[in-house]
Amino acid sequence: ALLDARTGEGLGVIPLEGRTESLAFHPNGQWLAVSHGTEANKMVTIFDLATGEVAERYPLPDVSSRLQWIGDD
């Protein structure tokens, strides 16, 4: 579940496969990157927080324990 940190209000549910390892909000607040997966399927999924839609998915050789946005784009 995604909650508003100030109010505690539920904002929605992010559907992910497997265990969530790490996440990073983009500095502009528009994107959320989540590292998650199962033994057979590991990835980073980028969500557009305005729409709740998946913007991109990137396969990984292993689940990342740290994510960080670089730059403003």
Side-chain angles (χ1 to χ4, degrees), residues 1-3 11-16 20-36 43-58 67-69 73:
L2 194 60
L3 304 174
L11 301 175
V13 175
I14 297 175
L16 296 171
T20 299
E21 191 67 31
S22 60
L23 57 89
F25 287 93
H26 190 277
N28 72 12
Q30 182 178 355
W31 310 101
L32 174 64
V34 182
S35 172
H36 63 98
M43 67 182 64
V44 169
T45 301
I46 309 294
F47 291 93
D48 180 329
L49 294 175
T51 66
E53 300 291 322
V54 172
E56 298 284 340
R57 282 201 167 111
Y58 301 100
L67 293 173
Q68 179 179 351
W69 289 94
D73 300 340

